[in-house]
Amino acid sequence: MSTDIETEKPTPEPAPEEGAPARRSLAAADWIPSVKTTVAAILIALVIGAILIAFSTRSVIETLPYFFSYPWDFFSEAAHAIGTSYWALITGSVGSWHAIATTLVRAAPLICAGLGVTLAFRAGLFNIGAQGQLVLGALACGYVGFSWDLPPGLHLLVALVAGILGGALWGGVAGFLKARTGAHEVITTIMMNYLAAALLIYCLGKDAFQRPGSDNTQSPPVADSATFPQVGNLHLGVIVAFLAAVLVWWILNRSTLGFEMRAVGANADASRTAGMNVPVVYTTAMVVAGGLAGLAATMGILGHHDSLSPTMAGSIGFDAITVALLGRATPLGTVLAGLLFGALSVGGVAMQASAASTPKELTEVLQALIVLFVAAPALVQGMLRMRATDENKTVMAKGWGG
């Protein structure tokens, strides 16, 4: 008895010489709709932000009672407030070499931590724990930085490696639990964020981490020999962050490990059937992701000659999730998203100091709006009547299936 498989005729392979150039052209053009949608999402967010700026400015609000008598007053005041704020945003983030350097320094940790989240996404894992991995990286590199006595250069290298290993260890625990017990990485990484924060407080209460002569929960600053070389306010860590992006791109697109990560992220069951060791891939992905978050920690501690404190991590680890989503889980996209968020962060301070006195919180609203629209391409395409593309498939959907 014949089966469908037996009667199915084999599909002839296309001639590579004639079809390859056309396929390459098509592949090269595939990213254009995605970029158009992303740019449209950012523009929509800026338009909504402009409306919020206008209605948060006192001089604009004061024109509302007589709007129907003198509407021009409202529009002129609103245009002045919006123009002043956005001009301050641009000049404050990229208007001078100092501003550009500050933006790059602010973006570096976001890029590193975002790359960790991106890499985990590609392996089908939703790494919520970048914040905890960053804290452990900061603990490790900070301790080496202020307590070890090593020659310059070597001290920086050892502290840098310690930070990466600290984050990798914390990420590896979540990966190991996922691989061996099936514990969902979202739950474990959230809990490990709390554990990392508690561990930081505990360590800062110990003599080994306390600053001599101070009652504050703050460690001594790292030694000069363990800090990144600086030119102005730009330090070597920025270059390290971009090199990390190249490394992640190479891992994902040129290495066997990256192929296995992408295969497992696409379909873990099929990858297991094909002979891949899925638990090892999960663990390795989380180790590398944690190491990148630990690298992000070194940007602050070793880049700013900083010390350990309960608030030194800020919200970089959580912002990294947003950066990775905005970058559509690609290394290049993550770098660009990190730069955008760095510019918004630096420019937000300039907006607050401008004549319009725009609240800095509005830049956070702008960030949230950008992510909202980028994460919902169908909404943007519907608003602008753009042609729908395959990008409507979100990246996060693969991360929850493991």
Side-chain angles (χ1 to χ4, degrees):
M1 185 174 64
S2 63
T3 64
D4 293 340
I5 297 177
E6 291 170 341
T7 57
E8 184 179 358
K9 294 180 180 180
T11 303
E13 291 290 337
E17 293 79 9
E18 297 178 2
R23 287 198 300 273
R24 282 198 295 269
S25 299
L26 182 62
D30 283 347
W31 57 271
I32 294 178
S34 176
V35 172
K36 288 171 62 179
T37 305
T38 302
V39 172
I42 294 174
L43 291 177
I44 292 174
L46 290 176
V47 169
I48 296 177
I51 296 172
L52 295 176
I53 289 172
F55 284 96
S56 64
T57 304
R58 179 184 295 273
S59 59
V60 177
I61 296 175
E62 288 176 350
T63 64
L64 290 177
Y66 58 90
F67 173 78
F68 292 103
S69 299
Y70 301 97
W72 175 248
D73 287 357
F74 169 81
F75 289 112
S76 62
E77 289 293 338
H80 180 265
I82 295 169
T84 302
S85 296
Y86 278 156
W87 182 248
L89 175 66
I90 295 172
T91 57
S93 56
V94 295
S96 64
W97 166 246
H98 178 81
I100 293 174
T102 305
T103 295
L104 291 173
V105 168
R106 194 70 61 90
L110 290 172
I111 291 173
C112 293
L115 288 170
V117 179
T118 289
L119 190 140
F121 271 147
R122 289 304 189 93
L125 301 171
F126 195 6
N127 180 22
I128 302 289
Q131 185 74 10
Q133 295 149 19
L134 188 145
V135 169
L136 260 292
L139 264 176
C141 79
Y143 180 75
V144 172
F146 66 73
S147 66
W148 289 23
D149 186 14
L150 295 172
L154 178 62
H155 198 181
L156 171 62
L157 181 62
V158 173
L160 187 67
V161 172
I164 295 173
L165 291 179
L169 173 65
W170 210 244
V173 171
F176 179 79
L177 292 174
K178 168 76 174 181
R180 296 302 297 269
T181 68
H184 204 291
E185 74 278 2
V186 171
I187 305 299
T188 56
T189 50
I190 288 175
M191 293 299 105
M192 293 183 72
N193 284 343
Y194 289 111
L195 285 176
L199 183 61
L200 174 62
I201 298 295
Y202 173 80
C203 289
L204 289 176
K206 296 298 179 183
D207 293 339
F209 284 84
Q210 280 190 332
R211 179 174 297 189
S214 174
D215 295 331
N216 296 327
T217 53
Q218 193 173 25
S219 74
V222 297
D224 292 338
S225 56
T227 56
F228 286 120
Q230 292 190 336
V231 177
N233 59 335
L234 186 67
H235 60 68
L236 182 64
V238 174
I239 298 176
V240 174
F242 284 106
L243 291 177
V246 175
L247 177 63
V248 170
W249 174 87
W250 183 85
I251 289 175
L252 288 176
N253 297 285
R254 291 292 184 270
S255 70
T256 303
L257 175 62
F259 173 78
E260 291 181 344
M261 286 181 181
R262 289 186 286 118
V264 171
N267 193 319
D269 292 332
S271 301
R272 189 178 292 106
T273 304
M276 296 181 189
N277 193 332
V278 176
V280 170
V281 172
Y282 280 151
T283 305
T284 306
M286 287 303 297
V287 167
V288 178
L292 288 166
L295 180 62
T298 66
M299 300 293 154
I301 299 296
L302 306 182
H304 301 299
H305 197 270
D306 213 343
S307 56
L308 299 174
S309 68
T311 59
M312 55 92 192
S315 61
I316 294 174
F318 299 115
D319 293 341
I321 300 171
T322 308
V323 168
L325 288 173
L326 182 60
R328 298 194 178 281
T330 63
L332 177 59
T334 302
V335 170
L336 295 177
L339 291 174
L340 175 63
F341 271 55
L344 287 174
S345 176
V346 176
V349 178
M351 289 171 66
Q352 192 174 22
S354 69
S357 300
T358 306
K360 187 176 181 298
E361 288 74 14
L362 269 182
T363 60
E364 298 175 1
V365 175
L366 274 179
Q367 294 174 355
L369 288 171
I370 290 172
V371 175
L372 172 66
F373 288 116
V374 170
L379 175 62
V380 175
Q381 290 158 0
M383 294 173 68
L384 301 181
R385 299 183 182 279
M386 299 170 64
R387 185 169 61 87
T389 65
D390 289 342
E391 65 179 317
N392 291 342
K393 294 182 292 185
T394 61
V395 178
M396 287 181 59
K398 296 176 181 177
W400 288 95

